[in-house]
Amino acid sequence: MSETKEEGDKTIRGARTMTLNLKRTVDAGHVKQSFSHGRSKSVLVEKKKKRSIQTPGGTPAPEDEQLKTDEVAASATEQTAETTETERATVVLRELSDDEKDARAKALAEAKVRDAEEQERGDAGRAAEDEALKQREREEAEELKRLEEERVKAEAATRAKADEPARDRTASDSPRAAEEKTERRPEARPKKEKSAARRDEERRVRGKLTISNALDDSQRQRSLASLRRRQERQKRQTVEPGDGTKIAREVVVPEAITIQELANRMAERSVDVIKFLMKQGEMHKINDVIDTDTAELIVEEFGHTIKRVSDADVEEGFIGEDDSGENQVARAPIVTVMGHVDHGKTSLLDALRHANVVAGEAGGITQHIGAYQIENGEQKITFIDTPGHEAFTAMRARGAKVTDIVVLVVAADDGVMPQTIEAIHHAQAASVPIIVAINKMDKPDADPNKVRTELLQHEIVVESMSGDVLEVEVSATEKTNLDKLLEAILLQTELLELKANPNRPAEGVVVEAKLEQGRGPVGTVLIQRGTLRVGDIVVAGAAWGKARALISDHGDHVDEAGPAVPVEVLGFSGAPEAGDQFAVVENESRAREITEYRVRKRRQVHASGAGSRGSLEQMMSQLKEAGQQEFRLLIKGDVQGSVEAIVAALQKLGTEEVEARIIHAGVGGITESDIGLAAASGAAIVGFNVRANQQAKSTADRDGVEIRYYAVIYDLVDDIKAAMSGLLAPTMRETFLGNAKILEVFNISKVGKVAGCQITEGKVERGANVRLIRDDVVIHEGKLSTLKRFKDEVSAVQSGQECGMAFEGYQDMRADDVIECFQVEEIERSL
């Protein structure tokens, strides 16, 4: 059989050298066995297969003859294929040119060389593979022979214990038995492989989860959950004291805490805490909130110590600590301009800034607090302009608190007035140095010595009278001695040595706040230390937000603002309160935590105040007994400071017989909700530099709610005072005529700007008063200088028609602005 196998191998190797390159389909009878744990073993398997081919005579041909027949057939097939390819190539070559034939022949020659080289390399590789295969076969044959000899020795030793005839019979049959064993030898390993596979299959079947296996305790093992629990127990034993004593902890407890949170902080089970409360007669759930006293009782019962904290602790660290000297650099001074109304504060500031703020203020008086920065050479100075009217006391006090220097403006022809005295008191209370600016020196009746003498009564001694207070005689209209005023300010700044740390989160004060259409809540802030950047999280009072934009006093967008720089901040969640302190916090959660506490505290204050007033029945009975009447008002203004000043001024007007009761005061235009609140409470609506939208007007006309508009605060206060006192002298009341919308603005030479308008409501008459309204806020009030239809001057234009309008002394008109036309008539009023 071995000779036959060798001849077959020679025949196969001979076939490999043929051009057809035939390959063996059996890998020399090697089978690789795989066992568990990554073990494997290679086993030799020899399989005999008889093949017979019918000869022409009908007798089967032997196997070697069959192999020869296959070889001859393959050879014939190969020769036929080569002949066919050669003939085909010859036909193609006949059809090609000489150059193409040479290139084709050269390519064929190179291909034959490559095929020969590849065949040589393949023959060498196959020869090495055959040699390795023979070596493995020899080693496995020797191993099988050794195992067989050991088995035969063992069987011989076993038979030695049997009778002699059996030994003789075994000896006589031994040649035949050995021959049979030799024949069965190749089949021994597959049986072993089959038995191993059967054992693996039985093991897999035995591992399946069945009812019988589940009930069989002999096959049950510990679960993964049990192993994890054992590991947790061992870990706790290593962490906690070995004697079983409980660890006493310090538990931080706020004013209100849930049971689950308290149990987590004590490292106790929530069930145990609830059981303890049940023993005390209180039924609670895990999410119920308990007070600090109950929490202290629970903490002490479980053997821990309590540390009480207050809700106000959330504000700790909101305002940072003071900076050290090495971190501070010189900063610009903050100068507040104060004085009596109409003494020229804003005009003086306009002369310094080369601007015209006075023209934009209704009635020629300042009713908003403004912050500006000017440059004097390389030195910058920040100015804060405050109103001088008596109603704006809070604004002046706010300006004095954030300032470094106060410039007290006193008119040379008017002298010291009540608001001048009030400004002096504010400056003295804030311990701020004062510089006196004696204004209106261009007037013929100007008397600066009178001003100096009157200031002596209020402990203000100027330098010319041997004092330590600087004074400068100036004229805002003629712009005289303005440089001396700036020199005095810079001299005072050098004495103060003003410094701040710019390399820290920004902190400062909100000097003004308002709501603007399209921009939302806007806060004018003055940075006292640190640097405010776009994207910072800012908290101001009960409002917070991410700074979406920073706008300078010139209307330019800036990326950051340092100490002593005033900017408008966009991005607040709501309008902050004027005078609130603002600061930058690290994240939004911190901002929400602070603002929620402040809102909650403000709500508690309002609730306690309402409770102190008593019930509605008690209040009505007190009013009847006292005979006091209420004048109910709803106030809406353009900025927070103006609303604050109006409320403070109206509350001072109350007497024993009548008082003003403010139902609501807010910032922004008059809306339908304001009309509904006023109608329900029977109040009148006062709009200060704001207007009601079309829906609110219709609702007010339907519900009979009176809306009064004012642009100057002392007109508002005087009107309300006259109504409350009952001294209702004939006054001026306006009658609405119509509205017009500006479609386009034309610039005409020798005339100026002319607004092309369309009448949207009512009519417009020549000679009537008009207001220019932009985003529900009054921008200008005056009279029409021109009313034309096409090229003709007309007396009136009806609704739906187009016309051209021009204002007297005003040119700042824009498309989409609204022109309100009205007449002022004198009527009698009564309560």
Side-chain angles (χ1 to χ4, degrees), residues 351-368:
L352 293 172
R353 297 178 61 235
H354 306 288
N356 189 14
V357 179
V358 174
E361 294 287 355
I365 67 169
T366 300
Q367 299 174 117
H368 312 91

Side-chain angles (χ1 to χ4, degrees), residues 546-578:
K546 188 174 184 179
R548 293 189 289 107
L550 303 179
I551 302 174
S552 66
D553 58 321
H554 297 290
D556 301 327
H557 286 261
V558 295
D559 295 331
E560 61 180 26
V565 177
V567 289
E568 287 186 344
V569 180
L570 277 65
F572 282 106
S573 58
E577 296 287 339

Side-chain angles (χ1 to χ4, degrees), residues 36 288 398 434 468 564 594 826:
S36 62
D288 287 351
R398 190 179 310 134
I434 298 175
D468 56 354
I594 295 174
E826 185 175 328

Side-chain angles (χ1 to χ4, degrees), residues 126 129 182 221 430 702:
R126 282 191 293 273
E129 183 180 355
T182 305
Q221 297 179 356
R702 184 190 64 207

